[in-house]
Each structure stands twice: as C-alpha cells, then as structure tokens.
Amino acid sequence: MAQFADVILPLPLEGIFTYRLPAAFAGLVQVGCRIIVPFGTTKFYSAIVVRLHDTPPSYNTKEATELLDSSPVVTSAQLKLWAWIADYYLCTIGDVYKAALPSGMKLESESCVMYNEEFIADDSLNPAEEKIIRELEEETTQTLSALQKRTGIRNILPVIKRLLERDAIHIREEVKRTYKPRFATYIKITEPYFSEEKLNETLSGLKRSAKQTEVLTCYASLSGLSAALALQNRQLLREITRQELTEYASCTPGVLKALCQKGILELYQKPVGRISVQNMPAELIMHPLSEDQLRAANQIKETWRHQDVCLLHGVTSSGKTEVYIHLIKEVIEEGKQVLFMLPEIVLTAQLTDRLKKVFGDRLGVYHSRYPDGERVEVYQKMLSDTPYDIIVGVRSSVFLPFRNLGLIIIDEEHETSFKQQDPAPRYQARNVALVMARAAGAKTLLGSATPSLESYFNAETGKYGLVQLNKRYGNVLLPQIEVVDMRETARKKMMNGPFTPQLTERIREALQHGKQVILFQNRRGYAPMMECRTCGWVPRCQKCDVSLTLHRNMRQLTCHYCGASYPIPPKCPNCGEQNLTGKGYGTERIEDCLQKVFPTARIARMDLDTTRSRQRYEQIIDDFQHFRTDILVGTQMVTKGLDFEKVSVVGILNAGTMLSQPDFRSYEHAFQMMEQVAGRAGRKNEQGYVVLQTQDTEASAIRQVVNHDYTAMYREQLEERSLFNYPPYCRLIYVYMKHRDERVLDSLSRDYANLLLKIFGQRILGPDTPPIAKVQMMFIRKIIIKIELTASMAEARKRLREIQKYITTLPQYKSALIYYDVD
Ligand code: ADP
Ligand code: ZN
Ligand code: ZN
C-alpha cells in the first residue's frame, strides 16, 4: 500500500502537500477521497487526495488522522478541471477546492457548526456525539476547534460528520439565511372529489355557505384544478400551502376546517425545500414546437455535427426555453446528462418550475443561495449510482461531478453573474463550462437575446455555430419603445419626481386595463447619495473611498462596497445646518413616489435589499405572477428572463446612469439590460409598450434599443474595441494590488509595473488608481496587461507567477495582497 498521499488543502496556498498514511488506511484510501490532516500546530483540515505514492518528500511529513470517504468524492475529471481553472485564472488549487465543494463537505478546524434546534436526541447517540450535542445546547454556534477543546475529543471530525449526516447539526454558511421551517402544511382536494361532476355538485350544494364556496374556487384557481381535471390527472395539481390559501381567500382557519371535515379538502404535511423528497411526475407538459422553433432546433443539431458549440440568438420571448426542453429531452433519452446553467436566482424559481413540470425528479437544482445541506445532497446524489439526469444551476454547478455529460446549455449567456468577482477563483463559468464540455465530449448551447460581444464574435468568425430566432412566439411584435427626454421635461418643470408625464400616463392606462407594469432603475436604496444643501458636504464611508447610499426604510446610510452602515446624521457635521437631503433616486424612493402618484396600486420592490432570503424573492415573483401586485419596481433583477403574461408597460427610469460607467463593457451591458427589460413587456398576445426616460436622447445605444437592433450595437462596439484594442481583439489580465499603507502600495505598484514592462513592454497600462481607490481600509492599484490573441497566454501566466513569487519574497511587500482577474 502507498505510504504517502499528496493532497489539496482548502487554503489559498500554492502547491500540493504530502502526508504520511497510517497503516489503518491500507487498501481503503483512493485518489479523490477526503482525509483529515493536521496543519500547523493546532489546525486540521479535510484534504483531497490527488496522488498516492511511496516517495518521501524532502520535509518531515505528518500523519493523516482520518479517512472520511470510502469512495472518491472528487472525480479525476474534476481534478483535471480544477487544475485548469487554477492555472488559467491565476489562483491556487486550494482556492478552487474551496469554491468547488459545499461547506458541509469541507470540514476544518475553523468551520462553525450550529445546533439544529429541531433535532430530537434519542438513545442512538454514542457518548462522543452526546457530548458534542450537550456542548452545543449550551452554546448553539461554535467552531470545531473550540468544540474539540471543550469536549476533549481528539478525533472530532468523524463525530461531526455523523452528526451532520443525521441532521443534528449544520455547518454555518457565510450567506445569512433566515430561519426556514422544516415542514409546511399543504392542502389539496381529496381523491373522491377530483371529478368535474362531483365538484359541480358540491359547489351547488355549498351555495348557502358563500365563504366555503369562495375558498373552494380560490383553491381551484391556485392549484390549476380545471386543467388537471381536463387531463384527468390529479398529479398535475399545483401544491398549495394552507397559508397560501387562507391568505389568498382571506378566510379563517375555521372555513378550511369545515371543508376538510366534509371530506372535500385534505391537509398533509411535507418537508419544504429538501430535494430528496420532492416527488413530481415527469414528462407531463411539453409544448409542441412552433415551426420556427423546430427549424432552430434542427439547425442547432445540424451544427453540432461538425461543431461543439452553438450560439442561439433568439429575441426575447421567442421560446428559447421550449427549444432547450426539446433538446434536453433528446439528450437524456440517449442516457446522457445535461447541465442547464442560468445566471442568478430570480430566474431559477420560474424556470425550475417549468422544467420540473417536464422532467420531474430527474432534475436537480444546485444553487449557491440554497441551504448548504441541500447542496451537499445534490452533490452526493451526483456521485451515487442514480445521479440526476439534469442539473439546473448557477455558475457553481460546473463543479458538480458528472459522469456522462452530453450537453451543457448556458441560458442568458451574456449575463455578468457567470463571472465570479470575489473571492478567487475569479472564473468565468461560461468558459469553464466550455472546457468541461470539451473534456467530456459534450455539446454546448449558448442562448441569449443579447449575446455577449465575445460569443457573437466567435459565432461570426465561425468558431461557434450560429442559429437565429427572429420572431416572438405566436408572432407577437417586439415592444414599441418611446424615448422621453428628461432634460427637456425638467426644463419645462414637468417632471413629477422621477417620472415624466408620458410614463405616468402609460402606467395609469395599464392599471385601468388591469395590466401590470415593471419599472427599472439601476440603483438600490432610497437615494444613491446624501448631500448638505448648504455647504455641499457628502457623507462617505470611513473604510472605503465612496459616498454612502441612503436607505430610508432601514434608517441608515450604507456603503455598497463593504456593507458598513452608519446612522443618518441629524445635522451636517461640516456646517451644522439641518439641511441634509437625498440626491437622486434609488428603488426605495421610486417606490415611495409611485405610491403617492398611484395610492391604490399594489406595488412591490425587488432588489438586493428585499430579496435577501429565498422565500422573499420567490414570494415577490409569485405575487406578481398571480396578480397580487400591479407594479414591480426593481434593479437589474427585473431585467432577467422573467416571463409574466400581463405586463403591458415597462418603464426605464434613467438610461443615462448605465451609459456613463467607466468600463469598456458598460455600453454593451447597458444595451443588454435595456433590451432585456423591454423584453418583459407584452409577451403574450399583444405588443407591449416601453417608456425609456433618458437625459441623452442622442446616444446610439438608445436608438439601437428602439430598433431592437442587436447587430448595429454589435458592429459599433466591435469597431470601438478594435480601435482601442480591447477584447475580443486581445485578452486582458488585470493585476490588483492592495495594501493598508498607500505609500508602500505606490512603490509596490511601480516596482511591479517595471518588472512587467521588461517582459510585456507596450502591453502594460498603469499602475492606475481605480475609481474606487480604497475599500475596507485597503488601498487599491491596478495594472492592465493586454495580450494579443497570437501570443501564448500560458507563457504570460508563467511569467506573472514568477514575478509574483519574486515580489512577495521582498520583506517590505510581505503584507501586500496581489491578485489577478483574467479576461
Ligand atoms: P424566451 O426564453 O425566448 O424569452 P420563452 O421560452 O420564455 O421565451 O417563451 C415565451 C412564452 O411563449 C412563454 O410563456 C412560453 O410558454 C410561450 N411559448 C413559447 N414557445 C411555445 C410553444 N411551442 N408552445 C406553447 N407556448 C410557447
Ligand atoms: Zn453643511
Ligand atoms: Zn465601505
């Protein structure tokens, strides 16, 4: 048996570490298994074995203490992908490990565990487990190292692992999440009453109880009863919680109880959110494709015969999802797996529902905002003998273990949330997916109404196949767009807060006709800035170089870079006057203004502040979908692929703020956002209407949105990129440097740039001070490296690594932070 194991630690350290294996592991440990290893004097981590061998390293090895898995949890294909990511995105393999596995699978001495209050301890606990539970009952959240000290259990991890498996404890996640009950009470119609005849009979029998009749009718509409009856399939009923029904029908529990006693409705309990127990019938609802969609699907399959990647450019509401569904079905019928990637959460709920209806429990959802326990379950199921055939997930789903991948679909491929910004690995999941597909011999489909410039360029130059869907489903016209000049309106003193008369009129009209409205403003909070009207003083973050955003509902000023919050000063600390006011409009303030103009309208707001928990955003979407709200105000969250049938008007409150960002991609992004949000209008039956308010009516992005002319935007931007040498005509690596001391940082960035100059010459820009030059007490400098397409990126990365190695050995720069952002 092998005496040594090379392992990856979940730490941002270069390289692989070697540990000795105890004799007890003989024949048990495999590459891809987790073992517990000590690190430093007191710490321990779960490490991934990447190699087994008999060659002692030059240093004294420590012994691994525990073997956690009897079979690999990381496959060799995954390990290869990890290595590629670390190399390409210039980070360590430990960074990748940390991003790749859910927290519950990465036990380490600093992990925080939490007692699950709902766990009922019984006799089956062994003494060690009981000891830990008793400790956690005293203090519900503790780090593993603290627990180890207190309980005196030497090998604490296996015990923790067992308790985790029994759900007695949880690993605390970084993302805060509100408490979620384990079980919910659902309600449904009983078997005998599931018949048209019986139901009509009942309804006429209930005539004297108006309240009961109403509840039953509400239940029918919420659950989609008539459709289920028509198809004679009780499984098709949408599941309704008791709470949902009582709220919707605004009835007392007594009325429900009466209906249950009559045997018409029944209550049942169901765990919420746990993936393993969801039991949906599969293959039920699949629309036949329209002629255009069928043509597109066939063209896609045709391009796949000689190309691996295909771009589907389909206007909003052309029915791309239907095309995906048909392609997915064909792939899984061949016994292969499908990964369906989408941007951030808001999309997931609606889309997952739709896919679940078709594929039932052959489909698993993997999402970073889901409770960690669920993520572990999905991961483990993918390793099992009965993995999901389809995974729907956000960017981190590229880290799941697939065995037989046939297709990756990347929906809304232009979305920036596929790129991870912080922390490392700063990977672009779209590219990682392409690499993964290639390694697995799978095909890839990128889909968007507004493709990223890079992807469209690749399609035009023949690297990808290109398939177009130019018409909306049902031949509904693309929305009509009216551009309204805000400066002109302001000059005539006709602005009503953030609204032009044109927009107000359109909203009023929509509401009168029982339609819905979406308003888009790319700023959250009440006002993006606060200012003293007497002396011009602006409150700023003490740790960052930015002005603070006013959040009136939370009664505080917040820094959107570090999250710090401050009380609102009662008077100006600079001049002493009580003359501080909010400047500009955030979503919160728009909501306020709107309610004043339309006092009876039901308004909801969707932005980061209102959607911190999964239930909240699902609630907001659900309310809007079931017409419990009339107007939805939101940030770019509302621009993303949502499908609502009664939205007739979309308002873009200020296009200018998007066009004036200091990034070479800002123009492309502004177009994408506007086109996408416009696409939410008039998706079924009739043409929608968009009011686009802007300070600058001449900007060409405005004209391109009005004409829905993606190609014009593409050509213009491409020309600019070519002129100023930006991607796709070159590749970019940003080097970021951070330090607490600005003078040290300045000299570091100069030294670094000089070293880079020797190797990269003209390709270096900077060092520069970025627009936000200080975040969380750390000053920031940035150097840009532009590498031509013909040069070797691998070589460039190698040189960068060498320079970094050298620089970080210099004592004066020891505490500096250097990292890279590739592409
Ligand atoms: P996209 O993803 O291109 O924006 P969707 O797939 O969301 O478009 O489709 C828009 C709307 O049209 C959806 O409500 C969908 O149900 C409907 N639709 C699209 N294709 C079909 C079809 N073949 N049969 C029935 N309805 C369809
Ligand atoms: Zn002042
Ligand atoms: Zn700050």
Side-chain angles (χ1 to χ4, degrees):
M1 91 137 209
Q3 293 178 47
F4 297 99
D6 291 349
V7 302
I8 306 172
L9 290 171
L11 293 171
L13 298 172
E14 280 300 339
I16 299 286
F17 297 79
T18 305
Y19 284 87
R20 221 167 340 113
L21 294 171
F25 290 10
L28 297 174
V29 62
Q30 299 173 46
V31 167
C33 286
R34 290 168 303 163
I35 57 176
I36 300 294
V37 298
F39 189 79
T41 46
T42 58
K43 297 205 166 124
F44 53 82
Y45 293 99
S46 57
I48 308 279
V49 176
V50 291
R51 197 167 77 93
L52 294 163
H53 59 93
D54 290 308
T55 333
S58 54
Y59 51 87
N60 251 342
T61 51
K62 289 186 181 168
E63 192 170 79
T65 56
E66 219 37 70
L67 173 64
L68 287 184
D69 307 301
S70 54
S71 59
V73 295
V74 183
T75 64
S76 59
Q78 284 178 291
L79 287 175
K80 276 199 202 111
L81 191 67
W82 289 14
W84 181 86
I85 293 172
D87 177 49
Y88 190 88
Y89 293 104
L90 291 160
C91 63
T92 69
I93 192 123
D95 284 328
V96 185
Y97 169 22
K98 282 209 300 194
L101 291 194
S103 328
M105 294 178 71
K106 287 174 305 207
L107 299 176
E108 54 190 54
S109 40
E110 294 95 33
S111 306
C112 241
V113 292
M114 262 171 14
Y115 181 49
N116 177 9
E117 315 254 345
E118 282 162 61
F119 177 75
I120 303 160
D122 54 27
D123 314 334
S124 63
L125 291 180
N126 70 28
E129 290 166 355
E130 236 188 272
K131 233 179 187 173
I132 288 179
I133 291 294
R134 246 182 278 123
E135 271 304 324
L136 283 170
E137 274 169 348
E138 298 268 307
E139 199 178 324
T140 50
T141 307
Q142 299 192 37
T143 65
L144 288 185
S145 48
L147 270 177
Q148 185 168 33
K149 220 180 272 164
R150 292 206 187 161
T151 57
I153 303 173
R154 215 176 57 87
N155 256 336
I156 198 167
L157 283 171
V159 189
I160 293 290
K161 190 183 161 221
R162 273 196 306 276
L163 287 172
L164 271 172
E165 281 161 4
R166 302 191 51 182
D167 221 12
I169 58 174
H170 295 150
I171 297 278
R172 193 175 66 190
E173 298 149 56
E174 270 132 353
V175 191
K176 258 221 202 114
R177 149 173 82 81
T178 48
Y179 167 72
K180 193 176 69 180
R182 234 26 207 319
F183 284 90
T185 306
Y186 286 79
I187 193 155
K188 76 173 167 214
I189 192 152
T190 57
E191 186 77 56
Y193 281 81
F194 185 74
S195 103
E196 198 106 31
E197 220 174 299
K198 188 93 183 172
L199 200 67
N200 287 335
E201 201 179 296
T202 317
L203 279 170
S204 45
L206 282 177
K207 269 215 177 81
R208 251 167 294 140
S209 170
K211 208 58 222 180
Q212 290 180 22
T213 313
E214 195 191 324
V215 170
L216 204 54
T217 343
C218 285
Y219 171 76
S221 80
L222 282 179
S223 64
L225 183 58
S226 54
L229 278 172
L231 292 168
Q232 305 243 325
N233 189 340
R234 197 150 159 267
Q235 305 258 47
L236 281 178
L237 290 173
R238 195 173 98 77
E239 293 195 287
I240 309 295
T241 62
R242 178 169 57 186
Q243 190 190 359
E244 235 177 314
L245 185 58
T246 42
E247 271 174 20
Y248 188 76
S250 50
C251 69
T252 57
V255 186
L256 275 190
K257 209 167 152 200
L259 284 168
C260 290
Q261 273 164 356
K262 287 185 181 154
I264 302 170
L265 294 180
E266 64 185 338
L267 296 175
Y268 61 103
Q269 289 241 320
K270 220 185 86 161
V272 278
R274 294 305 255 190
I275 49 139
S276 53
V277 279
Q278 262 168 30
N279 174 23
M280 280 253 239
E283 315 262 330
L284 286 170
I285 308 159
M286 210 162 126
H287 300 297
L289 292 183
S290 72
E291 216 173 285
D292 279 332
Q293 291 166 349
L294 195 61
R295 177 195 42 81
N298 286 332
Q299 282 177 355
I300 292 167
K301 283 186 278 181
E302 183 57 36
T303 56
W304 278 342
R305 288 164 56 155
H306 31 257
Q307 266 169 317
D308 287 334
V309 187
C310 181
L311 173 65
L312 172 61
H313 178 207
V315 296
T316 51
S317 207
S318 54
K320 293 185 287 296
T321 320
E322 298 302 331
V323 177
Y324 300 150
I325 288 175
H326 282 255
L327 294 170
I328 292 173
K329 184 152 179 288
E330 287 179 23
V331 174
I332 59 173
E333 269 167 10
E334 286 168 24
K336 300 209 165 142
Q337 292 174 306
V338 177
L339 169 59
F340 187 115
M341 297 217 313
L342 35 81
E344 262 308 321
I345 190 65
V346 192
L347 274 172
T348 351
Q350 244 193 356
L351 223 137
T352 323
D353 265 9
R354 200 148 142 205
L355 293 174
K356 270 257 178 216
K357 280 201 182 123
V358 183
F359 299 109
D361 51 17
R362 301 177 77 175
L363 174 141
V365 182
Y366 196 68
H367 200 285
S368 50
R369 278 226 241 168
Y370 278 20
D372 193 70
E374 275 176 45
R375 284 157 47 84
V376 175
E377 271 177 58
V378 174
Y379 194 102
Q380 296 284 12
K381 186 162 164 70
M382 292 307 281
L383 283 174
S384 76
D385 292 333
T386 52
Y388 288 111
D389 297 321
I390 309 158
I391 287 287
V392 175
V394 292
R395 63 168 181 251
S396 56
S397 55
V398 294
F399 292 118
L400 283 173
F402 291 90
R403 328 172 147 194
N404 190 13
L405 196 60
L407 169 64
I408 300 183
I409 294 175
I410 304 172
D411 191 22
E412 312 286 345
E413 66 88 28
H414 63 279
E415 276 288 333
T416 47
S417 69
F418 284 122
K419 174 75 167 67
Q420 169 145 324
Q421 281 312 334
D422 265 318
R426 295 176 177 79
Y427 64 103
Q428 163 55 275
R430 187 181 64 209
N431 293 356
V432 176
L434 291 176
V435 173
M436 177 157 89
R438 201 183 318 132
K443 301 294 175 191
T444 307
L445 179 63
L446 307 173
S448 173
T450 52
S452 65
L453 233 59
E454 282 83 351
S455 294
Y456 205 79
F457 182 77
N458 282 333
E460 261 217 327
T461 50
K463 206 169 147 200
Y464 302 165
L466 178 63
V467 173
Q468 310 258 10
L469 257 178
N470 299 324
K471 276 195 255 132
R472 288 188 143 188
Y473 175 71
N475 287 332
V476 175
L477 291 175
L478 281 168
Q480 190 184 339
I481 299 183
E482 178 183 4
V483 178
V484 182
D485 190 340
M486 291 169 87
R487 265 187 310 197
E488 178 76 14
T489 317
R491 195 166 338 112
K492 291 188 190 147
K493 303 235 178 315
M494 280 168 66
M495 288 296 286
N496 182 357
F499 311 117
T500 57
Q502 288 92 328
L503 179 56
T504 321
E505 203 32 56
R506 287 289 169 175
I507 298 176
R508 192 184 315 281
E509 219 174 84
L511 295 180
Q512 265 164 10
H513 290 96
K515 300 284 184 179
Q516 289 175 303
V517 175
I518 291 180
L519 296 182
F520 166 57
Q521 170 74 323
N522 208 19
R523 290 267 172 79
R524 67 190 168 94
Y526 185 80
M529 210 167 116
M530 223 186 175
E531 192 184 56
C532 170
R533 282 216 226 161
T534 311
C535 71
W537 176 82
V538 171
R540 308 182 76 82
C541 180
Q542 285 162 15
K543 295 186 211 148
C544 314
D545 178 27
V546 290
S547 54
L548 297 169
T549 301
L550 173 62
H551 287 254
R552 218 170 57 172
N553 294 356
M554 293 184 268
R555 293 178 215 304
Q556 63 190 19
L557 294 162
T558 319
C559 169
H560 284 184
Y561 282 81
C562 71
S565 56
Y566 304 83
I568 301 170
K571 55 183 190 209
C572 173
N574 189 41
C575 70
E577 295 285 322
Q578 284 189 348
N579 209 358
L580 288 169
T581 52
K583 252 187 93 172
Y585 291 91
T587 43
E588 228 180 75
R589 190 169 186 183
I590 301 231
E591 192 188 7
D592 273 11
C593 298
L594 200 60
Q595 196 74 75
K596 281 189 199 116
V597 185
F598 300 102
T600 57
R602 296 167 299 174
I603 302 171
R605 171 161 60 92
M606 186 156 78
D607 54 30
L608 206 62
D609 301 313
T610 62
T611 55
R612 294 209 192 264
S613 82
R614 173 166 145 205
Q615 296 101 300
R616 286 284 301 282
Y617 58 67
E618 283 181 358
Q619 191 65 53
I620 294 173
I621 289 179
D622 202 63
D623 283 345
F624 199 62
Q625 200 155 26
H626 292 102
F627 318 120
R628 273 164 277 170
T629 33
D630 305 309
I631 307 177
L632 186 61
V633 178
T635 53
Q636 50 174 315
M637 280 185 177
V638 300
T639 67
K640 303 184 180 175
L642 298 168
D643 183 22
F644 301 114
E645 45 187 301
K646 283 210 317 195
V647 175
S648 66
V649 171
V650 164
I652 298 172
L653 286 154
N654 190 347
T657 49
M658 286 179 282
L659 290 166
S660 54
Q661 302 291 318
D663 181 276
F664 72 94
R665 288 198 172 101
S666 69
Y667 194 93
E668 178 192 351
H669 290 161
F671 175 86
Q672 283 161 343
M673 259 190 274
M674 287 192 275
E675 188 61 35
Q676 291 284 350
V677 72
R680 302 309 120 215
R683 289 169 72 86
K684 283 245 169 84
N685 312 323
E686 17 183 333
Q687 190 183 18
Y689 200 90
V690 178
V691 178
L692 200 170
Q693 303 189 148
T694 176
Q695 315 264 4
D696 177 10
T697 51
E698 299 300 308
S700 48
I702 304 285
R703 198 174 51 229
Q704 289 150 4
V705 172
V706 171
N707 297 329
H708 302 291
D709 196 347
Y710 174 82
T711 341
M713 186 284 293
Y714 170 74
R715 298 253 168 273
E716 183 186 275
Q717 281 306 296
L718 209 58
E719 198 166 307
E720 245 173 61
R721 302 266 181 103
S722 147
L723 206 60
F724 298 104
N725 192 25
Y726 272 110
Y729 295 102
C730 72
R731 306 173 100 151
L732 291 180
I733 299 178
Y734 292 164
V735 186
Y736 288 98
M737 282 156 277
K738 289 188 179 179
H739 202 280
R740 283 179 178 271
D741 186 332
E742 195 164 14
R743 272 171 321 183
V744 177
L745 183 64
D746 270 330
S747 95
L748 165 71
S749 59
R750 270 194 309 272
D751 287 355
Y752 206 107
N754 284 336
L755 287 170
L756 287 174
L757 270 176
K758 283 196 199 120
I759 296 167
F760 294 100
Q762 294 283 303
R763 302 179 185 93
I764 303 299
L765 299 175
D768 279 326
T769 308
I772 312 290
K774 184 180 147 202
V775 169
Q776 290 203 300
M777 305 306 279
M778 298 282 260
F779 292 92
I780 309 169
R781 294 290 181 270
K782 175 175 157 189
I783 298 175
I784 299 178
I785 311 172
K786 284 186 174 176
I787 299 170
E788 58 275 25
L789 296 177
T790 48
S792 156
M793 274 293 268
E795 183 64 26
R797 291 194 300 265
K798 194 171 133 234
R799 295 305 188 84
L800 279 172
R801 281 220 175 76
E802 285 165 10
I803 296 180
Q804 170 157 17
K805 214 170 189 174
Y806 166 73
I807 279 264
T808 44
T809 52
L810 301 177
Q812 69 268 39
Y813 300 142
K814 221 176 58 206
S815 55
L817 220 74
I818 301 175
Y819 63 87
Y820 305 88
D821 198 347
V822 179
D823 295 340

